[in-house]
Amino acid sequence: MPPYSAPKPSEAALNASYRQGYTRLCPVDVPRLVDVARAALRLHPSTIPVTGLRILGAGVFNKVFFMQFGSIAVIARVPFNTPARAARDPVRLISQIATLDFLSIHIPTVPVPKVLAASPDSQNPPCAPYVIAEFCKGTPLTIQEWYTDMSVTSRGRAIDLLAEMWVKITAPVPFKTIGSIMRGMSRKDGAGDSPVFRIMPMIPQYPQEWTALLDPSTETRPGPRSIANHWAARMKEQCDDIMATFPDQDHSVLIVDGCARGSQHTLGKLWQCVRAMQELTDIAVFLDPLAHAPAMALMHADYSCWRNILFSADRTRIEGVVDWDDAIVIPRDLAALYPEELTHEAGSWRVDPPDVFAIPPGTLYEDEGLWETAIEETKQRRMFREAVGRRDPQLAGLYTDRRARLRRRVDILVRDGWSAWLEQDKWVLGQGLEEARALARSGG
């Protein structure tokens, strides 16, 4: 690769242009990253100069660089290396790339950026892992636009587009195991080499400071063949973590849950929640509404038109769906979820909330606006379900099936871990357990 000759700003300089006071570094050698992009596009640096180079956006886990080569534009996603080191886990990055490749081949009606070049580790000239991909046109909706500027008709059209795209994303996929997508060995067919995809155990979603790096051998192992095995493995991880965190097992010791207000509970209460969660998972396994016609689906973990859904300028088309970092393959009933915009005032069960039809008696005047928003979002979720139903009645039915709803809530709790069990202790020890037992008695 020829050396980068033209003077270009450092990452720190691009930060200053991106946002006042923004200083977070990946770090990455930006000129070398540009060289990689040019090589991927097969452009000669002496004839096709970079006419645009800037930071397009920065989230919790990644920074996105925008590069314009004449009429050709690409983006480079580079994960931060702190504080969540797992965001740079090579296995995680390899799975992200494989997911995009799978979508482009097997679900081509979902507009995703085509990967042009990638490196899952820092052993490369830019000195950081990266994914360089085609630039998807379009822009996300803004919060101001969604709540204030859009007419009721325009918002309804956007909801219909979101539903249409979700049906495409969550269509049944040809996998029989649960987890994250990886590339397998290519096979020969009449058209040449044909990529093969497989499923490895699920990569922990939303890496935090304490998220451990994956054992490299994980990449070679198959994912669990049933939700029972998946939940059992996760439950064991949580029990082991509790034992390691509280080795003395003093049941009177106080623990702070994951709620923003930090409620306190005893270790004894936590072990009550553990036993209840074990019963909930045991029951939920047998409440599968698709038991007679099993189906797996790919799920985008952060389906939000404020961030990851790119609309055309006139808001009549979806131009791109981006940020597939935490996409997973799961039983299809667990994928019957809503876009974030329809659950903003949903409370505890953010992605799969209860409906709200009236402001509760005694509500303070200053809180009435939040309840009015929750009522409006209930109407929007009904519109979303109806739009899904026009395209996929099976998927639409899973939104209101009591068995599927219970399984989704159990899955959310299993995913989020024991701190969430304490935060939701009233549901875990009371309402949820009662509902699970009632569904089990009635046969669903």
Side-chain angles (χ1 to χ4, degrees), residues 33-46:
L33 191 65
V34 175
D35 281 338
V36 172
R38 282 207 252 226
L41 292 169
R42 299 181 180 179
L43 301 176
H44 196 281
S46 65

Side-chain angles (χ1 to χ4, degrees), residues 308-319:
N308 300 323
I309 314 301
L310 308 180
F311 284 79
S312 59
D314 61 5
R315 303 321 200 196
T316 62
R317 300 182 312 280
I318 290 178
E319 300 280 9

Side-chain angles (χ1 to χ4, degrees), residues 17 67 70 74 81 107 130 163 165 196 250 306 309 312 319:
S17 300
M67 305 178 198
V74 299
N81 59 354
I107 317 181
Y130 60 81
M165 189 59 63
V196 173
D250 178 356
W306 294 341
I309 314 301
S312 59
E319 300 280 9

Side-chain angles (χ1 to χ4, degrees), residues 10-11 14-15 26 28 30 33 53-57 63-67 74-78:
S10 65
E11 184 185 1
L14 291 176
N15 278 347
C26 287
V28 59
V30 175
L33 191 65
L53 173 60
R54 60 187 170 89
I55 295 172
L56 184 65
K63 183 182 290 183
V64 179
F65 297 86
F66 175 84
M67 305 178 198
V74 299
I75 59 100
R77 297 180 81 239
V78 182

Side-chain angles (χ1 to χ4, degrees), residues 8-193:
K8 287 297 167 186
S10 65
E11 184 185 1
L14 291 176
N15 278 347
S17 300
Y18 167 61
R19 185 187 299 163
Q20 185 176 3
Y22 186 78
T23 59
R24 193 173 183 189
L25 299 173
C26 287
V28 59
D29 186 328
V30 175
R32 294 296 185 183
L33 191 65
V34 175
D35 281 338
V36 172
R38 282 207 252 226
L41 292 169
R42 299 181 180 179
L43 301 176
H44 196 281
S46 65
T47 56
I48 307 292
V50 176
T51 57
L53 173 60
R54 60 187 170 89
I55 295 172
L56 184 65
V60 177
F61 306 120
N62 301 278
K63 183 182 290 183
V64 179
F65 297 86
F66 175 84
M67 305 178 198
Q68 183 81 36
F69 298 88
S71 62
I72 304 172
V74 299
I75 59 100
R77 297 180 81 239
V78 182
F80 293 113
N81 59 354
T82 58
R85 291 177 60 243
R88 283 196 169 199
D89 192 315
V91 179
R92 181 184 293 272
L93 293 170
I94 291 169
S95 178
Q96 293 171 20
I97 298 162
T99 300
L100 288 170
D101 288 344
F102 173 83
L103 282 159
S104 65
I105 294 170
H106 292 280
I107 317 181
T109 54
V110 176
V112 298
K114 180 182 178 182
V115 176
L116 303 174
S119 174
D121 55 44
S122 301
Q123 305 305 309
N124 54 53
C127 302
Y130 60 81
V131 176
I132 294 176
E134 292 178 340
F135 173 68
C136 284
K137 296 180 180 179
T139 57
L141 301 177
T142 66
I143 296 176
Q144 165 78 18
E145 187 177 4
W146 180 264
Y147 280 120
T148 306
D149 298 344
M150 295 185 84
S151 66
V152 173
T153 300
S154 296
R155 195 179 300 112
R157 185 185 301 116
I159 290 171
D160 188 75
L161 290 170
L162 289 168
E164 179 183 21
M165 189 59 63
W166 194 244
V167 168
K168 293 177 181 178
I169 291 171
T170 60
V173 291
F175 298 117
K176 298 185 183 299
T177 51
I178 297 166
S180 302
I181 296 179
M182 299 296 287
R183 285 287 291 263
M185 297 294 292
S186 296
R187 62 169 179 259
K188 298 285 186 179
D189 58 22
D193 288 344

